[in-house]
Amino acid sequence: MTLFGGGTILKIMKRVFIRDVSLSDFGKLKTSLIGIIQETFEKLNMDSDDVDGVFIGLMNPEGFTGVGNIASYITDKLGIYGKPAVRIETASSTGAAVFYSAYAAVKAGLYKNVLVIGAEKMTSLSTHEVTGLISQVIDPYERKTGLTMPALAAIVANRFRYESRIRPSKFQNLLAEVAIKNHFYGSKNPTAHFKKEINREKYFSSKYISEPLRLFDCSPVSDGAAAIVLSSEKGGVEIIGIGQGTDRQSLSKRETITSFDATIKAATQAYQMAGIAPESIDFAEIHDAFTPFEILGLLDTGLLKRSEIENFYLSKEGYHNGRLPVNISGGLKSRGHPLGASGLAQIAEAFKIMTDKYPPEITPEKKDVCLTQSVGGLATNNFVTILRLRGAVLKPAKKDTEEFFSKPPRFKSDSNLRVYSHTRLYSTAEGVESPLDLVICEHNYKKFFARYSDRDKPRIKSRVKITKKENGIVYVKQLRRFSIKG
């Protein structure tokens, strides 16, 4: 609507609601990508004639299925051709990105009803092929050094443990608690990839992928789809806050690696739009492609303080009957992680929980307001969305948004070349010998990645020296001091 007055034009932005959602099964599916999308679309309570526009999220259909120009291909197969359709991609946050774009179109009044689809078919390729495709989102130099997404996540995790002054054994226990919780809820979710609970023995008997990350710290390779209908007509759940943030692609170019600035930027926008503070959030769906990312996501959205981490997980406060239920859908860790679908699936799961379409025995008592957070690549393109149940009364924020977030501690750098963080990678890229010790080094606040070639494992703050540069890869080893006795 446009109002004219005093020579100015004022556009009244629409409110945006979720009208309906649907989810496919997640896992290793025999159905084709188009088949998965068709089945998910058919579950929606929506006539195709009501669709004004279609927004589709797929990270890499060309690589995974060999299909290009896929937006019009999908609308053709769904029988809704002739309507505007576009494909959107932001790596592993693609599902949230397509939701963000569809929301903007409805908010601006371009469309009344929009169909949002997020999907991926990944399991038709081998693990090595999938790893190679996913690694394409990593900085080219870091990829050449041998870094994979699990290796980067492990390097972040090790540095986070060091900065938080958590003993290695206790930190491993915290990661175990995240995995055990999310597998518990996956076992209750009928669409989840992993429907079996795990215990501490099962977790600790699983192999290392990249230290400290074990198999049960990493989300699976999954197929799946999510679909949501957004509308300017009143629905059961309203989008009251939404935000997007980006960061440097290279982890070594960032001031800190233990707090994702892209999430903080997105959360700041979402909270400011909603006019609320983190304490108004009743439950959350946090991007947990790796278990430590759930912890970082809670910190970067202001839902948790660093001093609260250990008690939060050891006291099981993240369960449905705790003070802040987190990933009670099973999360990416257990529900599954079809790249283009995950961010949208988080929102769909939240809608189901908020509208009593979830098993009552695991539905939180307070479910009026939900926050979802999605990470693209290694936190280079992140999204935060805040949902409100229709009719819910919100408490306005009483302080500046910047005060919501706990910043990581600062550590002095020096003129010596030292190990900033490290990992031993066991599941290496094709053609790279396993295991592979990888480090990120720091010198006068400047960082770079290298391969570590020494008989002893690297340690944070250890002094190292560059031994060679070969084929664009830097090699370092520990610097030792020798004394000569007479």
Side-chain angles (χ1 to χ4, degrees):
M1 181 185 298
T2 304
L3 299 180
F4 296 87
T8 62
I9 300 177
L10 174 66
K11 289 187 176 180
I12 299 178
M13 305 298 279
K14 303 284 187 180
R15 293 170 67 185
V16 185
F17 299 87
I18 298 176
R19 197 168 110 182
D20 196 18
V21 307
S22 67
L23 290 162
S24 73
D25 288 336
F26 279 28
K28 189 171 184 177
L29 308 179
K30 295 180 180 178
T31 317
S32 67
L33 173 65
I34 296 301
I36 297 169
I37 292 172
Q38 285 176 321
E39 291 174 8
T40 308
F41 172 68
E42 288 167 2
K43 293 178 186 177
L44 288 171
N45 182 25
M46 183 183 197
D47 192 297
S48 58
D49 291 337
D50 291 339
V51 177
D52 300 318
V54 185
F55 288 73
I56 299 166
L58 289 136
M59 176 180 153
N60 197 339
E62 295 86 357
F64 288 121
T65 65
V67 177
N69 190 25
I70 202 161
S72 55
Y73 181 68
I74 289 173
T75 53
D76 189 8
K77 294 297 182 182
L78 295 181
I80 50 177
Y81 42 83
K83 303 293 177 72
V86 65
R87 171 198 160 198
I88 290 163
E89 181 274 326
T90 57
S92 47
S93 62
T94 291
V98 71
F99 183 88
Y100 182 97
S101 298
Y103 164 87
V106 177
K107 184 80 173 173
L110 292 174
Y111 305 120
K112 181 179 178 181
N113 297 307
V114 166
L115 172 63
V116 193
I117 298 170
E120 212 78 65
K121 175 72 178 177
M122 302 171 65
T123 64
S124 53
L125 301 180
S126 69
T127 300
H128 268 307
E129 288 174 314
V130 171
T131 300
L133 286 173
I134 294 174
S135 294
Q136 290 175 2
V137 307
I138 299 172
D139 177 84
Y141 167 72
E142 295 176 3
R143 196 189 328 159
K144 189 174 185 178
T145 304
L147 287 149
T148 61
M149 202 60 77
L152 287 167
I155 283 171
V156 169
N158 274 326
R159 181 69 191 185
F160 177 83
R161 181 202 62 74
Y162 171 82
E163 290 182 359
S164 302
R165 292 183 168 85
I166 303 173
R167 295 194 312 273
S169 59
K170 183 166 283 189
F171 187 62
Q172 198 80 68
N173 284 332
L174 291 176
L175 298 186
E177 290 296 333
V178 177
I180 291 166
K181 171 179 67 70
N182 294 357
H183 273 267
F184 169 76
Y185 287 108
S187 72
K188 307 293 184 182
N189 188 338
T191 65
H193 188 153
F194 292 145
K195 296 185 177 69
K196 291 184 179 180
E197 295 184 51
I198 62 169
N199 54 25
R200 289 178 58 82
E201 182 182 1
K202 184 85 170 175
Y203 172 86
F204 281 103
S205 65
S206 68
K207 65 180 182 179
Y208 279 114
I209 301 300
S210 192
E211 296 179 6
L213 304 183
R214 298 175 180 270
L215 180 65
F216 284 114
D217 290 307
C218 306
S219 59
V221 173
S222 310
D223 306 327
I228 291 179
V229 179
L230 287 181
S231 179
S232 56
E233 293 183 329
K234 288 186 178 180
V237 172
E238 182 180 4
I239 300 95
I240 60 170
I242 197 163
Q244 177 186 13
T246 63
D247 206 343
R248 303 288 295 270
Q249 186 181 30
S250 173
L251 201 66
S252 64
K253 298 294 190 294
R254 304 180 199 177
E255 182 179 343
T256 177
I257 67 171
T258 60
S259 179
F260 295 152
D261 196 44
T263 294
I264 293 174
K265 288 174 180 174
T268 299
Q269 294 169 25
Y271 283 127
Q272 288 177 344
M273 185 185 295
I276 62 172
E279 62 241 33
S280 293
I281 303 300
D282 294 324
F283 71 101
E285 286 288 313
I286 300 293
H287 184 102
D288 62 330
F290 305 99
T291 52
F293 282 13
E294 178 179 299
I295 301 172
L296 266 64
L298 288 171
L299 294 172
D300 290 340
T301 54
L303 296 173
L304 204 63
K305 293 182 174 60
R306 289 196 174 224
S307 59
E308 300 173 325
I309 295 168
E310 292 185 45
N311 185 65
F312 182 83
Y313 282 101
L314 297 179
S315 300
K316 302 189 183 303
E317 293 181 352
Y319 282 69
H320 68 279
N321 52 358
R323 74 175 176 93
L324 179 66
V326 180
N327 288 337
I328 58 172
S329 66
L332 282 61
K333 175 66 206 71
S334 187
R335 184 186 64 246
H337 188 20
L339 298 168
S342 293
L344 194 64
Q346 290 177 312
I347 297 168
E349 297 280 20
F351 176 88
K352 290 168 62 179
I353 292 167
M354 297 172 84
T355 55
D356 295 319
K357 295 178 181 177
Y358 230 61
E361 66 273 16
I362 59 168
T363 297
E365 184 177 341
K366 292 180 64 180
K367 52 184 175 56
D368 287 349
V369 186
C370 174
L371 178 146
T372 71
Q373 176 246 8
S374 187
V375 172
L378 208 289
T380 60
N381 210 334
N382 299 4
F383 295 82
V384 170
T385 304
I386 300 174
L387 309 174
R388 177 182 66 179
L389 190 65
R390 186 177 175 185
V393 178
L394 304 179
K395 294 181 180 179
K398 295 181 179 179
K399 58 184 179 181
D400 292 338
T401 310
E402 290 182 2
E403 298 180 43
F404 300 162
F405 311 107
S406 57
K407 297 179 181 179
R410 286 187 63 86
F411 292 82
K412 289 183 179 180
S413 186
D414 57 38
S415 58
N416 296 308
L417 182 61
R418 297 185 184 273
V419 173
Y420 185 77
S421 190
H422 60 87
T423 187
R424 174 163 285 182
L425 175 64
Y426 293 91
S427 183
T428 55
E430 193 168 6
V432 179
E433 189 175 345
S434 174
L436 177 65
D437 282 320
L438 295 161
V439 294
I440 182 170
C441 300
E442 184 182 39
H443 172 236
N444 286 336
Y445 293 108
K446 292 184 178 180
K447 305 181 188 73
F448 66 90
F449 280 100
R451 292 186 182 180
Y452 181 86
S453 53
D454 211 326
R455 62 179 180 271
D456 299 321
K457 281 187 179 181
R459 294 182 303 168
I460 293 176
K461 296 297 288 183
S462 293
R463 289 184 63 185
V464 292
K465 64 178 180 179
I466 296 173
T467 58
K468 64 176 179 177
K469 296 180 181 179
E470 186 175 86
N471 298 323
I473 301 171
V474 177
Y475 292 80
V476 300
K477 66 186 301 183
Q478 189 168 332
L479 181 65
R480 293 178 174 85
R481 292 180 178 178
F482 297 95
S483 61
I484 301 174
K485 295 181 180 181

